[in-house]
Amino acid sequence: MKLSVTRSGTNAWLAALLIGVCAALVGASAVAQDYPAREIRAVCSFAAGSGGDILVRYYSDKLSKLAGKPVIVENKVGAQGVIGTEFAARSKPDGYTILITPASSTLAAAPFLFKKLPYDPIKDFTAVAPIARLNFVFVVEAKGPIKTMADLVAELKKKPDHGTYGINNNTGQVAAELFKEAAQLKSLQVPYKTTVQGVTDLIGGQVDYLVGDATFFSGQARGGRVRIIAVTGPTRSGALPEVPTMAESGFAGYDLTAWWGVVVPTGTPKTIVDRLAAWMSQINAAEETRQFLHNVATDVLNGTPEQMATMLKQDLERWGRYAKVARIEPQ
């Protein structure tokens, strides 16, 4: 049987298609216009009271004021940030679940540290905005004799298998492995669920040093619990001007800087992504934010969703190189 389509039938089909497209656009616009109509959930992949938690809560509080709705922080802790990141990836893409995260760690570095990552850092997320850049730091017990990286290397080489170190995130692991490779050390890694547990063990002598973000450790150093002996970035931190870089400490070419950003599950309407990005830009433009970040040894990092997406792709390549240099075997 031969089928035929009349001109009137074709016109009717096109009209129906156009009506459907227009309805979808109007619906998407209405959703964005009403957003947010209820509270927003901000996922934090690290424990309450940690450096990451401090950062997430600050931005969540400022976001709630701009959005006019509560922004509730949910701590989903474990596996160096993987558990919280997976939770966010599997959430409904409606703008009511956001992930404020050390993107250079949980998204860029993670694929090279885990054999089976339960999310794809590119396909499962849409970038919203980068928000902050921070150094990682090498930390020892405050009352001990170690004051420099050279002291630390000398002390570790006296110990069987070169002692132990603690980390609780991906960036800390890579930073430590790069150091071990350069110093020809075999030190055993001790992963911690929370940085606080690591500090307790450091003071108790169970580990020789910790590697983590300056956000948390700057406060611990001011409180006299730990001593920061080196920062991992290419230049000294404005908040820690007395602390030398790894390059200044004898590790030429050592440069590892971490950064934070905001992402949402893939499929979140672009209008909502753009609105969130605009709010993040407003937060970062405030002098209060600059001062807050300075106090936790961190700097403002601005950018659009498109710029953050590019940064993430570039960081995936960079962390891949780091993993090879440090001879990291995915676990």
Side-chain angles (χ1 to χ4, degrees), residues 23-294:
L25 291 174
V26 169
S29 177
V31 167
Q33 189 171 359
D34 293 339
Y35 176 82
R38 53 183 171 84
E39 68 182 31
I40 297 170
R41 175 173 53 182
V43 178
C44 176
S45 299
F46 305 98
S50 66
D53 181 70
I54 292 169
L55 205 67
V56 173
R57 289 183 187 277
Y58 176 86
Y59 277 90
S60 296
D61 176 65
K62 298 305 176 186
L63 177 60
S64 71
K65 291 177 171 61
L66 292 174
K69 297 293 181 182
V71 178
I72 309 300
V73 176
E74 289 193 12
N75 298 86
K76 303 289 184 181
V77 184
Q80 299 185 37
V82 171
I83 289 176
T85 307
E86 181 187 11
F87 177 84
R90 303 291 173 250
S91 297
K92 188 175 180 180
D94 56 5
Y96 290 97
T97 299
I98 66 174
L99 176 67
I100 304 176
T101 186
S104 57
S105 171
T106 56
L107 300 180
F112 306 102
L113 303 176
F114 297 92
K115 289 180 180 179
K116 292 184 178 180
L117 200 63
Y119 55 85
D120 186 296
I122 299 296
K123 295 179 181 178
D124 290 341
F125 293 100
T126 294
V128 173
I131 56 174
R133 179 187 290 113
L134 73 156
N135 273 297
F136 265 56
V137 291
F138 282 76
V139 173
V140 294
E141 202 272 317
K143 297 179 181 178
I146 299 172
K147 292 181 170 62
T148 67
M149 291 302 296
D151 291 343
L152 177 60
V153 172
E155 188 64 26
L156 291 172
K157 288 194 173 180
K158 295 176 185 177
K159 298 190 172 192
D161 295 322
H162 304 150
T164 57
Y165 70 94
I167 54 98
N168 88 314
N169 55 48
N170 301 330
T171 305
Q173 180 180 346
V174 174
E177 292 297 331
L178 288 172
F179 161 60
K180 285 168 55 182
E181 180 68 17
Q184 297 183 328
L185 296 168
K186 300 183 293 183
S187 307
L188 177 67
Q189 177 195 120
V190 180
Y192 287 99
K193 193 172 183 179
T194 71
T195 312
V196 174
Q197 292 173 329
V199 172
T200 299
D201 281 0
L202 179 69
I203 293 172
Q206 278 74 50
V207 292
D208 296 294
Y209 68 98
L210 302 174
V211 188
D213 69 83
T215 306
F216 176 77
F217 284 121
S218 58
Q220 294 289 302
R222 286 193 295 270
R225 303 192 75 201
V226 303
R227 176 181 292 140
I228 300 174
I229 58 174
V231 297
T232 63
T235 59
R236 293 194 182 199
S237 166
L240 301 167
E242 74 287 354
V243 179
T245 65
M246 286 291 285
E248 290 175 317
S249 301
F251 297 91
Y254 193 108
D255 174 8
L256 190 150
T257 305
W259 57 275
W260 279 71
V262 181
V263 296
V264 291
T266 292
T268 302
K270 187 178 187 306
T271 45
I272 290 177
V273 171
D274 290 341
R275 182 166 295 185
L276 286 168
W279 283 331
M280 290 299 163
S281 180
Q282 283 182 258
I283 295 170
N284 269 1
E287 180 58 31
E288 180 185 356
T289 298
R290 294 181 183 277
Q291 189 58 51
F292 164 77
L293 292 178
H294 177 79

